[in-house]
Structure formats: C-alpha cells, structure tokens
Amino acid sequence: MRKYIFIFKSELMSNLQYVFNTFTGFIGYFIHIFIFLNVWQYIYSDKSQIINGYTMNQMIWYVIVTEILWSVANGRKLCRKISEDVRSGNIAYNINKPYNYIGYSLANHLGSVAIKALIYTVLGILVGLMFLGTIPSITIIEAVIIIITGILATVISTLLITFIGLFSFYVEDSNPFFWVYSKFILVLGTLFPIEYFPKVMQPFLNYSPIYAVSYGPAKLFTSFTWDLFIKLFIAQVIYIIIGYGLCSMLYKKGVKRLNVNGG
C-alpha cells in the first residue's frame, strides 16, 4: 500500500505546479453551469415548482455536482496513456516492477485529479451560491459522507477508464470506446437525473455505472437520506470490486498474449 501512496503523492506534487491550468479549465465548467442555469430557470416558471421530484434549486445543484464529478474524473489522458503503453510495448516493462499496473494507474490518476477535485468543488459551490443564494441543508456528517461517495465515484470512473484503455490489447486504438463512454456518462448521468428519463429506462440506469459515478452522489447532495446512502455505498463497493477484477483479468490476458507473441 505504501508504494501506491507514494505514487499518489508524487503525482499530486507534480500537479501542484500546474494549478493555474486547473483554474483556467474551470472557465469551461462555469460556462456549462451558466447555460444550464438559464435553461432550468426557463423550464421552471415558478421557483417553487416541482418537476419529477426536483425543485429548480435542487435541479441546478444536481447539475453542479455531476458536472464536478464528470470534469474531475475525465480520464482522456489516462486512457490515451494506457493505449500508448500497450501499442508501444512499454507496458511490458511494468510486469517486473514491484507494483501492480492497475494499482499504479489508479494511484497515479487519483493523484493527478486530487487538486482539480478540490478546486472545482470549492469554486462550484461558490458558483451555486452566487446564482442561487442557498445551499441544500446538510449536516457536517452528511457532507463528509457525500465527499466519501464522491471519492468512490472517482475511483470507479478511473477503473472503468483503465478497463477501456486495456482494450488496446485487442484493438488498435481504444480511445473511440472512451469517447462513447464519456458521452454516455455526460448525456445520461450528468445533464438529467434518472427520474427525468422514461420509466422503462430507469431500472437499467439504476444498475448502470451512472448510478454509482454521478447520480448517487449528486442525489445525496440535493436531498440526503440514509437509505439512499446505504444503497449507493453498496453499489459503489460492488462496482469497485467488479471493476478492479475486470481490469486485472484483461491485463493478465493481455500480458499473456504479449508473451505468447514475443511482444
């Protein structure tokens, strides 16, 4: 475990040198929130109106939180790096290293997004307060729980992106798969809550990664309940176990394939 903590800290310290880039990247986030603020203000002619169980303030806070999770966990760089490692053969050098490649990718990516997560969370809440003037009523314990579920959501996203990157063992370029995944999360898990989709789709979305990586933490922030937290936490733990298992399986099969082909 110590070596992964060291990898995390090393990447964290490295990214501290580029904090200004994170602030400039927040401009795009701010534009997205400003657009959706106006959209929802138009849809909700009355601020006290409830649509599919959400008031206007809850809906905007939902988008603010899911946009933070989506922006922070965006793993285009991670997917590209894994694909390049596989295509170039550099991944073979990691076989004899004193760490697991999946664990290394996870610790490295979390270290690279930690500062961004902190900055986006603080600024995102400030933006919400600036536009709405209020924040959902949550206790300190509930706030800590929401942060934990946000961290677990990022871990799950990282494992899913790592799994997609490892497709490069079998296809020339896995980046198109990442594009499909990112748009799937953006459209179905970021812009609208699950309750806004047709009832026939809702069971599927509730068992999909969307529930664990975006909907759940955002729903907890807008209307916290212990029942929802327990369901979300169980789902996140299951997704972490399955995600890590699938990544390990794909990695081992890929390495075996490299060895058989003399790669």
Side-chain angles (χ1 to χ4, degrees):
M1 178 61 73
R2 289 183 179 179
K3 48 181 172 284
Y4 299 114
I5 294 176
F6 177 78
I7 293 169
F8 172 85
K9 288 182 177 178
S10 298
E11 191 64 23
L12 177 66
M13 296 303 295
S14 175
N15 279 269
L16 281 174
Q17 303 176 32
Y18 306 100
V19 173
F20 181 75
N21 291 340
T22 301
F23 279 101
T24 56
F26 185 79
I27 296 174
Y29 171 88
F30 178 84
I31 293 174
H32 285 169
I33 296 302
F34 181 76
I35 292 173
F36 283 103
L37 173 71
N38 286 275
V39 169
W40 289 114
Q41 283 181 334
Y42 176 78
I43 294 175
Y44 284 85
S45 55
D46 180 3
K47 290 185 178 181
S48 62
Q49 182 182 5
I50 297 178
I51 302 176
N52 293 324
Y54 291 81
T55 64
M56 187 190 75
N57 280 17
Q58 286 178 319
M59 190 62 241
I60 294 174
W61 277 114
Y62 177 89
V63 175
I64 288 175
V65 174
T66 53
E67 281 281 352
I68 290 174
L69 292 171
W70 184 76
S71 299
V72 169
N74 188 353
R76 184 180 294 105
K77 181 179 178 182
L78 173 63
C79 185
R80 187 182 300 116
K81 181 181 182 303
I82 295 175
S83 295
E84 290 176 354
D85 283 347
V86 173
R87 289 200 303 267
S88 65
N90 287 335
I91 198 169
Y93 294 105
N94 291 280
I95 297 175
N96 297 320
K97 293 288 181 67
Y99 55 72
N100 179 276
Y101 184 79
I102 309 302
Y104 166 80
S105 298
L106 181 61
N108 185 269
H109 184 66
L110 292 179
S112 69
V113 303
I115 298 298
K116 185 177 182 181
L118 177 61
I119 293 174
Y120 272 50
T121 298
V122 173
L123 294 181
I125 291 175
L126 291 177
V127 168
L129 287 172
M130 180 177 68
F131 285 128
L132 302 174
T134 59
I135 191 171
S137 179
I138 54 175
T139 65
I140 295 177
I141 295 177
E142 290 170 350
V144 172
I145 288 174
I146 292 169
I147 291 173
I148 292 173
T149 60
I151 294 172
L152 294 178
T154 306
V155 171
I156 296 169
S157 294
T158 303
L159 289 173
L160 292 175
I161 294 166
T162 300
F163 180 71
I164 293 172
L166 291 172
F167 279 166
S168 295
F169 278 118
Y170 303 95
V171 297
E172 184 177 354
D173 186 8
S174 63
N175 286 296
F177 293 98
F178 171 77
W179 184 89
V180 173
Y181 165 78
S182 63
K183 296 303 177 285
F184 175 78
I185 297 296
L186 176 63
V187 175
L188 299 180
T190 301
L191 305 182
F192 302 98
I194 291 176
E195 292 86 350
Y196 271 73
F197 292 94
K199 289 186 178 181
V200 68
M201 291 181 60
Q202 291 182 19
F204 166 75
L205 295 176
N206 278 321
Y207 287 100
S208 73
I210 287 172
Y211 183 86
V213 304
S214 59
Y215 170 82
K219 180 69 173 181
L220 274 181
F221 186 79
T222 59
S223 52
F224 185 96
T225 64
W226 287 101
D227 183 57
L228 175 61
F229 163 65
I230 293 172
K231 291 180 180 178
L232 173 62
F233 183 75
I234 293 174
Q236 288 182 322
V237 171
I238 292 174
Y239 260 105
I240 288 175
I241 294 173
I242 294 176
Y244 187 84
L246 289 175
C247 287
S248 297
M249 180 184 68
L250 194 59
Y251 175 73
K252 290 177 182 178
K253 286 187 176 182
V255 169
K256 183 178 181 180
R257 185 177 181 181
L258 283 178
N259 291 333
V260 169
N261 294 326

